[in-house]
Amino acid sequence: MEIFNILENSNLIEVLILLYHSKYLTLIALTTIAIYFWLFRSSKHVYLVDFICFRTSTSYRTPISSIIEHAELDGFGTGGLTGFLTKVLERSGIGNECYVPSSIPVLPSDLSLNSTMEELEMVIFSTVSSLFTKHKLNPRSIDVVITNCSLVCTVPSLATMIINKFGLRSNVMSFNLSGMGCSAGLLSVSLAKDLLRVHKNSTVLVMSMESVSSNPYKGKVKSMLLANCLFRMGGVAILLSNKTNYKHIAKYELQHLTRTHLGSKDTAYKCVFQEADEEGCIGVSLSRSILQVAGEAMKTNMSTLAAFVLPYSEIIKYGLSVTWKKFWPPARKRGTYIPDFRKAFNHFCVHAGGKAVIDAIKESLKLKDRDVEASKMTLYRFGNTSSSSVWYSLSYLEAKGRVRKGDMIWQLGFGSGFKCNSAVWKCISKVKLENCCSNVWSEFIHQYPIEVPDVIDH
């Protein structure tokens, strides 16, 4: 046991010197050094082993007509606001197949803690269980659990709910992120990345979701009624690791992750804000300036990411454009050159926050319809599932058979604060369609893409 104490309390150089001048220079000592290299060396790789998006039974399907009718009967559309809700829903880009918790369509809506817990347990437990079952994973092999849900912060935490349900080890590390908006899923990946850089030979479980039943707004402020129209039930369980033995079975490897936070600016800070109206009704207000703020956040985020991913030709063109505008005033009318990010990425997974958001990003980045197809279909089929929406989009691309080994994927998320976060993944293995029974799109992917009308019938 003395040799292991030496290895534990000394750095590699000290170990070699001690072994050279001691009685441990034997076959056993050399074997121990090999084990040291294999088990205890730090890993710079972050592998995305797999992910599974939440999908429930059709009994939770709630078409737009049902939402409008229920809003009027239950007081959500009081004060002549039914017409406003109808207009927003019809133009939202959201279809009639999305899921809503069973506590919402009843009369009156059940806003109790019990109904919130029922939704949380259904989404979390079913998704995590599917991930464990698919990979025949022993829950006790999980070293870190990270959960994120903006509107609900339970006691004990959501991470502890997973630990209790699946019997994780007593020394498992757990983290629960709340109040961080629709970009929290990528924030969880960022936290996982930092932990994996420190803790060697580890596996991280990330559960990303939002609660729909916890915060429906019953007041009359239009900016706060928007959330009732856009958000739907969803979530994703993600398995990350830095273990070398996962390299050959993992789907993706993390290449870059950039985070932008504009919270120091009052306009950005109040852009997505939970508050009470004059009548005391609590809800999340979505500002009119959200597209402008999102554009500013994305521009800042892109300026950081571009240096890592764009080819030199695009960087030079952008630099010359900025310089030319600065020293030659007539050039300002043409605007700054927008780099072609399609030369860096094969696929785009834009946060499905709303039709206007996706269209604005498409125009800003000069993307094609096919580039934002996954995000638009995600919005149409599952609605705004908050922090998990970029994973539904990636799942769509997998189900379509478009993701190839070596492809680069850009996930772009936005959230309250205001935040813009980017994750860049490289596909490192072949995505086998014949084994995609766990893919949330698998049963009906042949129906997509479809043409989403400007006004959706109900």
Side-chain angles (χ1 to χ4, degrees):
M1 293 300 294
E2 185 177 354
I3 182 63
F4 290 100
N5 293 331
I6 293 174
L7 286 171
E8 183 177 1
N9 298 312
S10 306
N11 60 39
L12 181 58
I13 301 300
E14 291 173 339
V15 170
L16 293 174
I17 294 173
L18 285 169
L19 288 173
Y20 183 77
H21 294 287
S22 71
K23 60 184 178 180
Y24 297 115
L25 193 55
T26 63
L27 180 60
I28 296 177
L30 293 174
T31 304
T32 305
I33 294 176
I35 295 174
Y36 175 87
F37 273 110
W38 179 255
L39 294 180
F40 299 102
R41 62 180 179 176
S42 61
S43 174
K44 295 182 179 179
H45 301 282
V46 176
Y47 299 114
L48 196 169
V49 181
D50 202 359
F51 66 96
I52 290 183
C53 296
F54 170 78
R55 182 187 170 196
T56 186
S57 67
T58 55
S59 62
Y60 291 90
R61 171 186 173 273
T62 309
I64 291 175
S65 57
S66 297
I67 295 176
I68 295 172
E69 180 184 28
H70 180 267
E72 188 170 5
L73 294 174
D74 198 30
F76 286 84
T78 57
L81 291 172
T82 304
F84 169 75
L85 291 173
T86 303
K87 182 178 179 181
V88 172
L89 284 163
E90 289 177 340
R91 290 164 172 76
S92 63
I94 299 175
N96 293 310
E97 301 296 324
C98 304
Y99 306 131
V100 171
S102 58
S103 59
I104 298 296
V106 298
L107 291 172
S109 296
D110 182 3
L111 308 183
S112 66
L113 177 61
N114 287 338
S115 65
T116 298
M117 293 301 297
E118 180 182 346
E119 178 193 4
L120 292 173
E121 290 177 356
M122 177 172 59
V123 175
I124 294 174
F125 293 164
S126 65
T127 312
V128 172
S129 178
S130 296
L131 185 63
F132 285 167
T133 301
K134 178 180 178 181
H135 291 275
K136 299 179 181 179
L137 195 66
N138 185 346
R140 297 182 66 82
S141 66
I142 299 297
D143 302 288
V144 183
V145 177
I146 302 174
T147 55
N148 68 264
C149 183
S150 292
L151 294 173
V152 177
C153 186
T154 61
V155 179
S157 69
L158 302 184
T160 303
M161 287 171 55
I162 294 176
I163 293 170
N164 176 260
K165 174 68 176 180
F166 296 99
L168 274 62
R169 302 194 317 266
S170 60
N171 64 340
V172 65
M173 291 180 285
S174 64
F175 302 86
N176 185 75
L177 308 180
S178 63
M180 305 198 78
C182 298
S183 65
L186 298 184
L187 287 172
S188 294
V189 172
S190 178
L191 175 58
K193 177 200 70 173
D194 293 338
L195 291 169
L196 288 172
R197 293 288 168 85
V198 177
H199 299 279
K200 309 148 194 170
N201 206 40
S202 298
T203 301
V204 180
L205 172 66
V206 174
M207 181 66 219
S208 180
M209 67 167 296
E210 189 52 83
S211 171
V212 178
S213 60
S214 62
N215 198 45
Y217 174 66
K218 283 197 171 185
K220 301 177 182 179
V221 180
K222 291 182 178 179
S223 63
M224 299 173 75
L225 282 168
L226 290 173
N228 291 357
C229 301
L230 298 176
F231 288 93
R232 299 293 188 271
M233 189 163 55
V236 61
I238 309 164
L239 189 65
L240 301 165
S241 183
N242 58 3
K243 293 182 178 180
T244 53
N245 61 313
Y246 273 126
K247 180 179 180 179
H248 303 292
I249 63 173
K251 288 184 175 182
Y252 306 96
E253 182 179 351
L254 183 64
Q255 303 295 299
H256 307 285
L257 201 152
T258 58
R259 297 167 52 177
T260 300
H261 204 309
L262 302 183
S264 60
K265 300 180 180 181
D266 290 341
T267 304
Y269 175 69
K270 296 282 289 185
C271 191
V272 181
F273 205 83
Q274 186 180 34
E275 57 188 348
D277 63 15
E278 294 180 353
E279 298 179 354
C281 297
I282 298 175
V284 176
S285 174
L286 303 179
S287 170
R288 289 179 178 270
S289 63
I290 189 169
L291 289 180
Q292 179 183 350
V293 172
E296 181 183 353
M298 184 178 69
K299 183 178 179 180
T300 304
N301 188 272
M302 284 168 47
S303 64
T304 303
L305 182 66
F308 297 106
V309 299
L310 285 177
Y312 291 125
S313 60
E314 291 298 306
I315 296 176
I316 292 172
K317 288 179 183 178
Y318 175 76
L320 290 175
S321 173
V322 173
T323 304
W324 193 242
K325 281 181 59 181
K326 184 175 181 181
F327 292 102
W328 196 51
R332 296 172 185 170
K333 296 180 181 180
R334 289 182 290 182
T336 305
Y337 173 75
I338 304 297
D340 187 357
F341 279 88
R342 289 177 298 161
K343 292 185 178 180
F345 303 111
N346 304 98
H347 310 287
F348 299 82
C349 297
V350 178
H351 168 51
K355 184 175 182 293
V357 174
I358 299 172
D359 288 340
I361 294 172
K362 174 191 171 185
E363 183 178 354
S364 298
L365 297 179
K366 308 298 182 185
L367 301 178
K368 304 295 184 182
D369 289 339
R370 185 178 173 88
D371 297 325
V372 296
E373 178 187 311
S375 298
K376 281 196 170 184
M377 294 304 100
T378 293
L379 180 66
Y380 181 80
R381 178 60 181 79
F382 294 99
N384 182 348
T385 60
S386 189
S387 57
S388 62
S389 71
V390 293
W391 298 99
Y392 281 87
S393 297
L394 182 54
S395 188
Y396 175 90
L397 294 170
E398 288 185 352
K400 276 292 182 183
R402 296 180 184 173
V403 183
R404 310 286 182 178
K405 186 175 181 180
D407 283 0
M408 301 291 286
I409 299 101
W410 182 13
Q411 289 182 320
L412 181 63
F414 300 91
S416 59
F418 192 84
K419 298 182 286 293
C420 175
N421 300 319
S422 291
V424 178
W425 302 93
K426 181 179 181 180
C427 182
I428 59 175
S429 65
K430 182 179 179 181
V431 179
K432 300 179 181 179
L433 298 180
E434 63 271 17
N435 294 327
C436 279
C437 56
S438 59
N439 189 300
V440 71
W441 293 90
S442 59
E443 292 183 15
F444 43 79
I445 190 61
H446 61 280
Q447 302 173 13
Y448 296 88
I450 64 171
E451 186 67 29
V452 180
D454 292 332
V455 178
I456 296 177
D457 295 331
H458 58 87

